[in-house]
Amino acid sequence: MVAADQLNEAIDAFQRGELDRARAAAEVAVASAPSPQWQHLLGLIYCRLGDPGTGVEHLRAAVDGEPENISYRVMLVRALVDAGRPAEALAVATPPSGSSPAELALWHARAEAADAAGAIEEAIEAWGNLCRAGIRDWRAWANFGNALAAAERWSKAEQAFRRAIEIDPKEPQVRRDLAIACARQGRENEAADELLKWSDEASADAESRILLARLLADLGREEESIEQLNVVLEAATGHPFHESGEGLVAAARTSDGTIRVSLLLEIGRLMERTNRIPALRKLLEDAEAAGVKPEQLAYPAAALALRDGDPHTAKRLLEYDQPYPDPLRGHRLMARIEDALGDPARAFAEAQAMNRASQDYEKWLPRGPAYIRSVRAVAAAVKPQWAARAKPLDAPARGSPAFLVGFPRSGTTLLDTFLMGHPDAAVLEEVPLVTEAQKSLGEGPDLPDRSRASLEKAREAYFAALDRHVPPEFPGLVIDKLPLNMLAPRFIHMMFPDAKFIFAQRHPCDSVLSCFMQPFALTESMACFLTLETAADFYDAAMTLWTRCEALLPLNVHRLVYEDLVNDPEAALRPLVRFLGLEWRDELLDHRATAAARGVISTPSYDQVVQPITKKASGRWRRYEKQLEPVLPVLLPWAERLGYSQ
């Protein structure tokens, strides 16, 4: 039999799965007259037999014999990856110069090797080249998106995931990845929409649906949150969610009489998060009557005990939840408990642990200082000559909104809850309308030089976004509440020169301490609150920008002091209501009724706004003076400037 016939027969045996016969023939040929073809075949045989290490030796010999044979190189790369040697594989998969099928196969192998080696930039290059070559493979686009996500290039990752979904809309996992990309860009509602599609298409498990229910609750999408719980409960028990709490324990009982405590726990968490306190109380009472100990429902039971003014019981219950299934919320609650118990050192330590429990903490940590630098750069551009060049639009015919701004945790949620009680006011709760407008214009140093047409376009974008939340025919005053719009007064002034600003002020030390001790959904700005030092630095940068704009631009500002609001709400609110051009209404003072009527509160203070007004939060920083020592030189000068006697 001639050599070519022997090789073909061995290849046929390999393809039929007769591996021992193929190996015997190949080993004889390699031993007597080695050639790249036989080495390649023997390498493939060993890989198929589960011995990629030996396969690599023969495949490397084949590549050495025919270095220009791209197919041989592709198989060597894949064998090296299988053998756990991805760095070597990446070195072998030298980037090809063309886009022939063989060269695209090498790009594919290089991409897989880069993924295995954790070489993010190389993976982005390789998957990107494959996708740009016009390949219609959803997996390649999804992998391209994953590589971009690993580099935190979320906008481009989103584009790649969307392309993967266009090619194969039935692949649910890509929707989950797309949701993450949207969330990392601060678009949590779009993320929730994609997760809803993913959960329906993937028949998501109970845990995933419950997590989705909690996300939807955080976003104020209460009905959809309950729908997700209904899916879980009906699948497990055949009974839907009961909003009153009545019958939930019976519904969570399985056919053999066992109570699904995990379901009750997650329902209890959701009730606490959505301020359904009577329903939560009923759930806990019924659960205990059925033999479920409060310790088994530790988190919601502890949260209720703290709301009831019993921090000792709250601490005892929450300690049963350690290690916390949800460290972020667990440490947050324990920080509040320790604060109520009068132990600032432990409360501060719990807040530190809470922040460290944030997802991707190490990656987000440097973003705070980077964001602060960008704020300081904007502040540096605010100079008299800039203000002199500014030529804002005329006031819009439909009327300008008012803007409720202030550094986070300065009482803006409490204040907007008061204002929501006025029938002639529509208060938007932290909807990024200004951000939508800025996308079309930006806020760089050349803002005063932008054309009238570009400013009009930006204002139209704002109103288009507003119309999705408030009917255009609404005759009253729209109040756009988003605290960090205090960083965009220049931009707002160019669009709405007659806009009224409500600036919520609180003692800098109390505001910064509260920011540090609250969990926020991480964005570039909220990453500033991961450490006390960056929180204080952010306050200094934000206030520098705001005060410069207030001094140089004709802003119409009413300053409302948090400490005055909690001390005498009516005395603080009456001047504000006059400033806004509204009539005084006594129902404004019943903020608890307004808070209950507004449903889910998506800000971190969701569990505080529904409580009676307390003065305890004013001056709280003095109990934490030792912990605040590193940042007092930054904050106390601002306190003095704002009129506090420190």
Side-chain angles (χ1 to χ4, degrees):
M1 185 182 295
V2 298
D5 292 337
Q6 291 175 327
L7 179 60
N8 289 332
E9 186 174 320
I11 291 173
D12 287 342
F14 172 72
Q15 292 174 340
R16 289 195 301 269
E18 299 172 6
L19 300 182
D20 289 336
R21 180 183 167 204
R23 179 177 60 179
E27 285 179 338
V28 169
V30 166
S32 59
S35 69
Q37 293 88 345
W38 280 109
Q39 294 280 18
H40 177 249
L41 177 59
L42 188 54
L44 295 180
I45 292 169
Y46 273 107
C47 289
R48 182 75 65 83
L49 288 168
D51 184 2
T54 303
V56 162
E57 297 176 12
H58 294 287
L59 290 170
R60 193 183 296 278
V63 170
D64 290 343
E66 289 187 20
E68 301 304 318
N69 190 317
I70 295 178
S71 297
Y72 288 179
R73 191 174 296 274
V74 168
M75 298 314 300
L76 173 57
V77 171
R78 290 177 173 159
L80 283 165
V81 171
D82 291 341
R85 295 150 64 180
E88 291 180 59
L90 192 57
V92 170
T94 53
S97 57
S99 58
S100 67
E103 288 167 321
L104 289 178
L106 184 54
W107 273 117
H108 201 287
R110 179 173 173 79
E112 293 173 342
D115 283 344
I120 296 173
E121 292 303 323
E122 288 81 357
I124 291 173
E125 177 195 29
W127 289 118
N129 276 337
L130 275 174
C131 293
R132 282 187 290 273
I135 187 171
R136 283 189 56 81
D137 181 352
W138 71 265
R139 293 176 182 82
W141 282 97
N143 287 331
F144 186 30
N146 287 326
L148 289 163
E152 300 189 359
R153 300 176 194 172
W154 296 109
S155 177
K156 291 187 178 298
E158 177 189 349
Q159 295 173 21
F161 292 137
R162 290 194 185 280
R163 179 65 179 131
I165 290 170
E166 286 178 13
I167 296 171
D168 186 357
K170 298 179 181 179
E171 183 52 44
Q173 181 61 36
V174 186
R175 291 200 181 278
R176 180 179 177 277
D177 295 334
L178 175 58
I180 293 171
C182 291
R184 292 303 177 86
Q185 296 175 80
R187 291 167 20 229
E188 285 81 6
N189 271 298
E190 287 184 52
D193 290 339
E194 292 300 335
L195 284 175
L196 282 168
K197 295 175 185 176
W198 169 76
S199 63
D200 292 339
E201 294 170 4
S203 300
D205 57 20
E207 181 180 356
S208 297
R209 287 191 182 276
I210 288 170
L211 289 174
L212 176 56
R214 286 162 64 183
L215 170 62
L216 290 165
D218 284 344
L219 294 171
R221 296 165 62 171
E222 191 174 14
E223 292 184 4
E224 293 168 287
S225 175
I226 298 304
E227 286 177 10
Q228 292 302 309
L229 273 182
N230 273 338
V231 172
V232 175
L233 276 171
E234 292 193 34
T237 68
H239 297 282
F241 177 78
H242 292 274
E243 189 169 344
S244 67
E246 188 73 40
L248 271 173
V249 174
R253 195 182 296 275
T254 62
S255 58
D256 64 359
T258 304
I259 294 175
R260 293 197 59 182
V261 176
S262 60
L263 279 180
L264 294 181
L265 177 60
E266 291 303 334
I267 293 169
R269 286 176 182 271
L270 187 60
M271 285 178 170
E272 191 274 334
R273 177 63 189 86
T274 54
N275 286 318
R276 285 186 171 87
I277 302 308
L280 174 59
R281 198 179 302 280
K282 175 66 173 171
L283 171 66
L284 293 174
E285 289 172 355
D286 288 353
E288 188 169 10
V292 179
K293 296 179 180 179
E295 293 81 2
Q296 293 177 272
L297 303 173
Y299 181 92
L304 183 60
L306 182 63
R307 287 182 186 239
D308 288 344
D310 187 357
H312 293 282
T313 298
K315 182 174 181 179
R316 178 183 62 79
L317 288 168
L318 191 58
E319 285 175 341
Y320 280 94
D321 212 25
Q322 296 176 346
Y324 301 125
D326 184 343
L328 194 72
R329 292 189 182 274
H331 286 298
R332 176 201 185 245
L333 181 55
M334 187 60 83
R336 295 187 60 233
I337 291 170
E338 296 290 5
D339 181 80
L341 290 170
D343 194 332
R346 288 188 177 180
F348 193 84
E350 288 291 334
Q352 288 177 312
M354 173 195 73
N355 286 318
R356 286 195 295 269
S358 300
Q359 186 176 5
D360 296 329
Y361 170 79
E362 294 294 340
K363 291 181 180 179
W364 280 104
L365 197 59
R367 295 190 180 187
Y371 185 78
I372 293 167
R373 288 193 294 272
S374 70
V375 173
R376 292 197 183 280
V378 174
V382 180
K383 298 177 180 178
Q385 55 268 38
W386 184 96
R389 286 168 33 226
K391 294 180 177 60
L393 295 172
D394 297 329
R398 65 182 287 181
S400 295
F403 293 88
L404 172 50
V405 304
F407 198 75
R409 305 297 298 163
S410 291
T412 53
T413 300
L414 176 61
L415 178 54
D416 80 31
T417 303
F418 276 115
L419 293 173
M420 283 181 184
H422 201 295
D424 296 329
V427 183
L428 276 76
E429 175 73 13
E430 304 198 11
V431 180
L433 304 179
V434 172
T435 302
E436 287 296 315
Q438 283 179 308
K439 287 179 181 178
S440 68
L441 193 61
E443 201 197 356
D446 60 341
L447 183 59
D449 304 318
R450 295 302 180 91
S451 68
R452 185 178 184 84
S454 62
L455 290 171
E456 290 281 7
K457 181 180 178 182
R459 189 160 71 183
E460 288 170 5
Y462 179 95
F463 279 130
L466 174 63
D467 291 345
R468 294 196 292 269
H469 302 276
V470 179
E473 62 273 12
F474 176 70
L477 176 67
V478 172
I479 301 175
D480 183 344
K481 176 254 180 167
L482 202 160
L484 285 182
N485 275 342
M486 70 177 291
L487 303 179
R490 303 186 310 161
F491 181 79
I492 294 171
H493 175 67
M494 297 292 284
M495 290 195 303
F496 304 107
D498 63 333
K500 296 177 179 179
F501 287 86
I502 310 162
F503 184 79
Q505 172 188 308
R506 186 182 184 187
H507 193 291
C509 294
D510 277 331
S511 183
V512 167
L513 176 65
S514 186
C515 285
F516 172 71
M517 296 185 71
Q518 288 286 347
F520 292 92
L522 288 181
T523 61
E524 304 297 324
S525 57
M526 296 300 100
C528 297
F529 301 135
L530 290 175
T531 72
L532 184 66
E533 289 74 13
T534 52
D537 195 21
F538 185 26
Y539 184 93
D540 180 63
M543 287 298 293
T544 297
L545 173 55
W546 169 259
T547 54
R548 286 183 183 175
C549 289
E550 193 175 12
L552 293 173
L553 295 173
L555 304 181
N556 190 6
V557 180
H558 179 92
R559 191 176 299 266
L560 190 138
V561 179
Y562 171 80
E563 291 81 2
D564 294 342
L565 180 64
V566 298
N567 184 58
D568 189 342
E570 184 172 352
L573 289 171
R574 278 189 177 274
L576 172 60
V577 171
R578 283 197 302 272
F579 168 76
L580 294 174
L582 300 172
E583 292 184 3
W584 175 258
R585 306 290 288 259
D586 287 338
E587 57 262 41
L588 286 173
L589 298 176
D590 193 357
H591 82 287
R592 296 182 70 190
T594 303
R598 69 188 282 189
V600 177
I601 300 171
S602 59
T603 65
S605 53
Y606 71 91
D607 54 350
Q608 297 160 12
V609 174
V610 295
Q611 300 294 323
I613 290 180
T614 176
K615 302 175 185 177
K616 293 180 181 179
S618 298
R620 182 174 68 142
W621 72 272
R622 294 187 182 279
R623 293 190 283 118
Y624 290 84
E625 200 160 349
K626 182 177 180 180
Q627 288 76 25
L628 287 169
E629 278 181 1
V631 299
L632 291 180
V634 175
L635 299 178
L636 289 182
W638 278 110
E640 183 176 357
R641 186 172 175 180
L642 293 172
Y644 295 95
S645 58
Q646 299 190 7

